Amino acid sequence: MRQLWSALFVGGLLGSAAVQAQELLEFPRTATIIEVLVSEHGFDAAEVEAWFAEGEYIARNVESLAKPAETTKTFAEYRPMFVSDETVENGKRFMTQQAQWLSMAEERTGVPAEVIAAIMGVETRYGNYLGVHRTFDSLATLAVTEGRRADYFQRELINFLLISRDQSFDPLSVKGSYAGAMGYPQFMPSSYLAYADDLDGDGNIDIWNDPVDAIGSIARYLGEHGWQPGEPIATRAHVSGEYRQVELNSFDRDRTLTEVTALGWDPLVSAADDAQVHPIRLDGDEGAEFWLGYRNFWVISRYNRSIAYSMAIFQLSEALRLSQ
């Protein structure tokens, strides 16, 4: 699963990478990681060292964190990447093929089938594009590069190796995103450990090759983050008066529908007066667009903390829902 890191962090990583070695075994943090894997998790030292020796330090992956599309493009530029006639048609086909499992996942969690499918569509084109970077290389690169999030990526690397041992696969055989997200749902290893679901009940949770388990895992992730069945996700809004007196494009949960309505936000789809809302301004095809995101919009954002990403998921899910 993709995450957004601050420019300050990335700048620090880039500066550090420029002066450090380009072989994983030459980075000072590597020895610490190997020690943790051996002493705390019982890995064989020679085997771990062999992984790091064969692994590749990918400086461009560090650089890629500085410019995710969610932050470098307007919504008018970003939306067509994920919401198009092609993605809707492919999504309809995917939903037909997986109708039984999408229905089961929705029944268990309350998360609509079209939302589950939309996340799969945005993340991996319904499983047709799982990433080109070896997951070990991606995670190891970010784990050994000094920076504010190095400890986070060290934990994710260790989790990934624990998963590979448990699932009996070669950790150098798996590919995913440049940040280490994996499989159909693009889960980080910690998300796999917390939310991966054996929806088909075959005793093996496989998000790399089995779209059924991926469907169950996405639904469980959103469900456990507080999805509210039957409640709206987001709505267009007309604005007037003192509408600017709110923080725009924030995921803070300190505004209610009553409060923003009093300031000039008039939603096309309403909710309870005390519903938490996120006032949004986007640069759309025809200029400024104003939206209100509800609680379920915030839940989608737990997958990727980006207004543009969450809105693309919502709009693709709406297109899929209306196409059924």
Side-chain angles (χ1 to χ4, degrees):
M1 172 187 312
R2 297 170 298 174
Q3 298 288 340
L4 301 179
W5 318 121
S6 69
L8 177 62
F9 160 61
V10 175
L13 288 183
L14 290 172
S16 178
V19 299
Q20 297 230 39
Q22 298 301 299
E23 300 293 333
L24 289 171
L25 282 173
E26 297 178 14
F27 283 80
R29 289 185 61 93
T30 300
T32 300
I33 296 170
I34 294 174
E35 173 61 23
V36 171
L37 286 165
V38 173
S39 64
E40 296 185 19
H41 301 287
F43 283 88
D44 178 75
E47 183 175 40
V48 176
E49 289 175 3
W51 292 333
F52 276 93
E54 186 175 341
E56 178 186 1
Y57 180 83
I58 312 174
R60 65 182 180 275
N61 284 13
V62 179
E63 191 172 334
S64 293
L65 290 173
K67 47 185 178 182
E70 297 94 329
T71 60
T72 60
K73 296 181 182 296
T74 66
F75 191 66
E77 297 169 329
Y78 181 81
R79 182 183 186 276
M81 296 167 58
F82 304 109
V83 187
S84 66
D85 291 343
E86 180 181 8
T87 54
V88 173
E89 285 302 312
N90 290 340
K92 288 169 58 179
R93 188 178 307 112
F94 176 81
M95 292 184 70
T96 298
Q97 294 169 345
Q98 303 296 337
Q100 171 191 353
W101 302 108
L102 287 164
S103 178
M104 180 182 292
E106 181 172 353
E107 182 177 347
R108 287 185 179 182
T109 64
V111 180
E114 63 269 14
V115 174
I116 301 169
I119 287 181
M120 192 91 75
V122 169
E123 291 291 344
T124 59
R125 297 296 194 272
Y126 311 102
N128 290 311
Y129 183 78
L130 303 184
V132 298
H133 304 270
R134 285 197 309 194
T135 299
F136 179 88
D137 295 341
S138 296
L139 293 173
T141 293
L142 299 172
V144 303
T145 303
E146 294 292 348
R148 185 171 62 85
R149 297 296 300 225
D151 288 346
Y152 164 79
F153 284 107
Q154 176 177 320
R155 292 191 297 271
E156 293 294 346
L157 174 61
I158 291 170
N159 285 335
F160 171 67
L161 293 174
L162 290 170
I163 293 166
S164 73
R165 183 170 66 182
D166 182 65
Q167 294 284 330
S168 300
F169 63 75
D170 178 0
L172 298 179
S173 68
V174 173
K175 293 184 178 180
S177 80
Y178 65 80
M182 314 178 298
Y184 278 75
Q186 290 293 276
F187 271 8
M188 294 299 286
S190 59
S191 292
Y192 176 93
L193 293 173
Y195 305 107
D197 185 77
D198 182 17
L199 185 62
D200 56 14
D202 66 357
N204 179 43
I205 305 178
D206 182 1
I207 65 170
W208 299 272
N209 306 292
D210 187 351
V212 176
D213 285 351
I215 287 168
S217 300
I218 292 170
R220 182 181 176 190
Y221 185 97
L222 297 178
E224 294 198 16
H225 278 84
W227 187 269
Q228 298 179 330
E231 293 298 314
I233 299 172
T235 178
R236 288 291 290 262
H238 298 297
V239 294
S240 61
E242 300 177 329
Y243 75 93
R244 295 178 184 274
Q245 294 186 19
V246 297
E247 184 176 3
L248 296 173
N249 298 358
S250 168
F251 286 116
D252 290 343
R253 293 182 286 171
D254 57 357
R255 287 288 189 177
T256 66
L257 182 57
T258 295
E259 291 171 341
V260 300
T261 300
L263 293 172
W265 290 78
D266 181 17
L268 273 63
V269 177
S270 194
D273 290 345
D274 62 351
Q276 62 181 220
V277 294
H278 307 283
I280 297 165
R281 181 194 183 281
L282 297 173
D283 292 317
D285 291 330
E286 299 180 2
E289 299 178 2
F290 295 93
W291 295 76
L292 287 175
Y294 290 116
R295 167 73 184 190
N296 285 339
F297 188 82
W298 178 89
V299 172
I300 291 173
S301 78
R302 300 308 88 188
Y303 217 93
N304 182 326
R305 289 164 174 77
S306 159
I307 291 290
Y309 174 90
S310 301
M311 187 61 70
I313 295 294
F314 166 64
Q315 293 189 7
L316 179 56
S317 72
E318 283 292 281
L320 291 173
R321 179 179 66 83
L322 295 172
S323 71
Q324 299 303 303

